[in-house]
Amino acid sequence: MAHLNLDLRQVARCRELARKIASPVEKLIDTHTTVAIERATLRLLGVNGAIVRGGQHFPEANAIVEDLHKAGALAEGVLPAFVNGMIQKKMTAPELGAAVASRKIDLLKLPKASDAEVKAKARELCEKAKQLIIDRREQRDAIRKEAGDTFDASGKNGPLLYVIVATGNIYDDVIQARAAAQAGADAIAVIRSTAQSLLDYVPHGATTEGFGGTYATQENFRIMREALDDESLKLGRYIRLTNYCSGLCMTEIAALGAIERLDFLLNDAMYGILFRDINMKRTLIDQHFSRRIIALSRIVIHTGEDNYLTTADAIENGHQVLASQFINERFASHAHMTEDLMGLGHAQEMNPEHPNVFLLEIARAQMTRDIFPKSPIKFMPPTRYKCGDIFYSHLMDAMFNFVGVLTGQTIQLLGMMTEAMHTPLLQDRYAAIRNAKYIFGGAKDLGQEITYKPGGTIEKWAAKVLQETLDHLEMIDRKGLFKAIEEKAFAEVKRTETGGKGHDGVIVRAPGYLNPFFEVL
């Protein structure tokens, strides 16, 4: 594979700066919890039911944590009170969860077992939950092996054909996902209903009325995973399942995704901060716990840097993407994720009328591949400059596919010729897959046949972007990540440290805080 002549000293310095930038946030993570982390803790113990409140299903985990938070009893975590309740009432976690959520039992009015007994019981429950995640991971891996799986994080087997379904109805999604797999897709992403990331609870059960996508729920995960397992075995190749693990419930989605054997999760705090106005402390703390779960399950994350180029010019601000990738890599490493699980994201979003635009796109794609050689890079299609001309859109997607196979991308989200007009139909997805298969097959080994001209346009552009990335990280290091975000360091979007949704769900840990998951994960 062709490589660029990058300054490796600059790359190393970028990583060192990312470590320094992340360090204060890591200290924040170690001293705080959130309502979402405590809810995810209950879910991992098996509290995944729902009660009827206000005419709709409301998760038991939310009801329990909400009541403890209102009583000012969450600084020690949900486990001291809940585990004590299990001991006193001799009930399983699901049984006690149902009783406490419906307010038949008040955890704060029960007699108290000794701290040692509560800690021992909590550790036992967390170890059991850890084993469940491992069992589910092994079950998933066994199906991969049986069906046949050639996925390689480094991209040497060519980009995975990655497509979306977004009907709003999980049962219709299954039909479209099966059709896409039969047409050649390797991975299916089930798009979430619009703004689900802003809900501070996970909807319950199978859903059929999403808007612009289908709600991410445990039952929806189960339904789609079962369908894709069946399709994988029929086709003789494993089909991966993706969903969204960002927003106010990212910790819970991580837990449910691990339990229901997902393969990929879009997991990135920066996306929520910038594009959903979620409080930066809340989502960065949540992200760490979610990634601890994801790391154990060996789910590949996808980060959201590609979105920066939908609000900031891709030619002038491409370095912001690389800077964020370095920071995201550091946060993932702090959560014990290995490089082959870090699906860092970037996109082809430069103005198509810019002179030599494909040379610049090749430079950006190749430098991403070269700087993160062990990571399963996710390459996103052009969207910003698409319009109602479906033929031009299809051509843009073809050139995007060409850049992807040339530079050895791992995961290629296929563009749809009608995505600027409506939610793509079955035939649009078929056309996109056929387009990609033609180019991926026809140019499969092109990257092995060429080299980049020393001092040429591609190499010079890559060097320029790397220098700008280094300068950007130096600036963020001087100001601190939170202050830099406040001053529009990424995507031309301003956020504040205490603003945004979910800030009231951030809690300083008390000295007696208990959550063995931070150790056993």
Side-chain angles (χ1 to χ4, degrees):
M1 176 65 69
H3 297 285
L4 293 168
N5 184 29
L6 299 172
D7 187 334
L8 299 183
R9 291 170 300 178
Q10 286 188 321
V11 173
R13 176 59 180 163
C14 286
R15 285 198 163 95
E16 172 62 17
L17 286 166
R19 185 193 63 77
K20 291 176 64 182
I21 289 164
S23 181
V25 181
E26 291 165 1
K27 292 176 182 176
L28 176 79
I29 290 166
D30 292 339
T31 55
H32 290 71
T33 185
T34 72
V35 291
I37 288 174
E38 303 308 319
R39 295 194 307 248
T41 297
L42 288 177
R43 286 185 175 277
L44 287 169
L45 267 54
V47 183
N48 287 312
I51 58 174
V52 177
R53 183 179 291 183
Q56 67 176 21
H57 286 102
F58 190 66
E60 293 169 351
N62 277 75
I64 296 166
V65 169
E66 193 174 279
D67 285 350
L68 288 174
H69 192 30
K70 285 179 180 177
L74 210 56
E76 293 185 345
V78 73
L79 287 182
F82 191 81
V83 172
N84 179 67
M86 291 177 65
I87 294 169
Q88 299 298 339
K89 292 296 184 179
K90 294 181 171 55
M91 299 171 79
T92 65
E95 290 169 346
L96 182 64
V100 175
S102 58
R103 297 186 174 135
K104 293 175 182 176
I105 295 175
D106 186 338
L107 292 175
L108 299 179
K109 292 182 178 179
L110 296 175
K112 292 189 176 180
S114 69
D115 288 348
E117 188 178 2
V118 170
K119 287 180 180 178
K121 181 67 174 177
R123 179 80 184 207
E124 175 191 329
L125 291 166
C126 292
E127 291 283 4
K128 184 178 179 181
K130 173 183 177 180
Q131 189 58 50
L132 173 62
I133 294 174
I134 292 171
D135 291 345
R136 295 289 191 170
R137 180 188 75 197
E138 291 177 349
Q139 183 183 354
R140 180 198 63 204
D141 292 348
I143 295 173
R144 285 181 181 174
K145 185 176 181 180
E146 182 181 358
D149 185 24
T150 59
F151 176 74
D152 181 86
S154 69
K156 71 178 182 180
N157 294 329
L160 246 63
L161 277 70
Y162 179 96
V163 301
I164 64 173
V165 295
T167 70
N169 182 322
I170 187 60
Y171 301 106
D172 291 341
D173 279 353
V174 165
I175 294 170
Q176 293 214 359
R178 285 182 181 272
Q182 291 164 16
D186 300 306
I188 307 294
V190 181
I191 303 299
R192 276 193 305 197
S193 184
T194 299
Q196 185 182 340
S197 60
L198 301 183
L199 297 180
D200 216 343
Y201 67 92
V202 179
H204 187 75
T207 64
T208 58
E209 296 180 341
F211 180 80
T214 304
Y215 286 102
T217 74
Q218 182 173 8
E219 180 62 8
N220 285 348
F221 289 174
R222 187 198 65 77
I223 290 169
M224 185 60 80
R225 179 70 275 168
E226 184 178 79
L228 292 184
D229 284 349
D230 178 64
E231 205 62 46
S232 296
L233 295 173
K234 286 179 180 177
L235 295 171
R237 56 186 180 83
Y238 185 74
I239 310 300
R240 280 170 163 73
L241 174 59
T242 308
N243 216 291
Y244 289 69
C245 185
S246 56
L248 292 168
C249 293
M250 68 161 69
T251 57
E252 295 166 275
I253 294 294
L256 298 177
I259 291 168
E260 299 303 334
R261 301 181 289 110
L262 270 68
D263 303 280
F264 295 154
L265 284 170
L266 281 81
N267 178 256
D268 184 11
M270 291 291 287
Y271 173 84
I273 294 166
L274 299 173
F275 299 101
R276 292 294 181 264
D277 193 19
I278 295 173
N279 175 259
M280 57 181 77
K281 288 183 177 179
R282 165 71 181 269
T283 193
L284 283 164
I285 296 166
D286 282 347
Q287 176 181 265
H288 178 76
F289 190 69
S290 70
R291 288 183 176 182
R292 295 286 285 270
I293 298 168
I294 288 167
L296 178 62
S297 185
R298 296 203 56 77
I299 292 170
V300 171
I301 64 167
H302 296 162
T303 61
E305 283 86 3
D306 53 277
N307 291 280
Y308 300 178
L309 304 183
T310 62
T311 55
D313 183 78
I315 294 173
E316 297 297 324
N317 297 289
H319 62 280
Q320 294 180 7
V321 170
L322 184 55
S324 181
Q325 287 169 335
F326 279 118
I327 295 170
N328 234 327
E329 179 189 48
R330 171 58 204 179
F331 280 133
S333 178
H334 183 235
H336 304 289
M337 299 193 76
T338 53
E339 290 176 79
D340 60 329
L341 300 179
M342 302 177 191
L344 302 168
H346 66 124
Q348 181 165 304
E349 290 286 13
M350 295 185 194
N351 187 334
E353 295 183 5
H354 190 279
N356 280 325
V357 66
F358 285 107
L359 277 69
L360 309 189
E361 294 286 15
I362 289 168
R364 284 283 323 287
Q366 189 66 62
M367 72 185 301
T368 303
R369 180 71 279 171
D370 289 352
I371 292 171
F372 306 102
K374 297 179 182 178
S375 295
I377 303 300
K378 187 190 72 168
F379 197 23
M380 296 290 283
T383 57
R384 184 172 183 172
Y385 292 96
K386 282 196 170 180
C387 62
D389 184 342
I390 63 171
F391 303 106
Y392 187 58
S393 290
H394 203 46
L395 176 59
M396 290 175 72
D397 291 335
M399 295 305 293
F400 160 71
N401 290 334
F402 179 79
V403 174
V405 72
L406 172 67
T407 58
Q409 304 300 303
T410 313
I411 303 163
Q412 192 98 346
L413 178 62
L414 303 187
M416 304 290 161
M417 58 188 177
T418 53
E419 62 191 329
M421 300 160 61
H422 63 75
T423 301
L425 302 175
L426 281 170
Q427 60 265 34
D428 305 332
R429 196 173 292 109
Y430 173 79
I433 293 170
R434 192 178 183 194
N435 175 327
K437 289 180 75 174
Y438 165 56
I439 293 170
F440 291 173
K444 182 177 183 295
D445 296 321
L446 181 60
Q448 309 286 345
E449 295 288 322
I450 67 169
T451 57
Y452 297 114
K453 178 182 176 182
T457 300
I458 291 174
E459 197 167 275
K460 284 182 178 178
W461 186 257
K464 175 178 181 293
V465 173
L466 182 57
Q467 180 62 58
E468 290 172 345
T469 299
L470 179 57
D471 295 342
H472 201 62
L473 288 169
E474 295 276 12
M475 177 273 292
I476 296 170
D477 180 44
R478 289 193 303 272
K479 295 182 177 181
L481 181 61
F482 292 169
K483 184 65 175 177
I485 292 173
E486 188 174 332
E487 296 181 2
K488 300 184 178 180
F490 298 105
E492 299 298 317
V493 176
K494 172 185 174 68
R495 300 295 181 217
T496 63
E497 187 173 340
T498 57
K501 303 165 185 70
H503 184 250
D504 57 349
V506 178
I507 304 150
V508 178
R509 294 187 196 177
Y513 179 78
L514 176 65
N515 193 333
F517 276 124
F518 283 100
E519 299 171 24
V520 303
L521 289 176

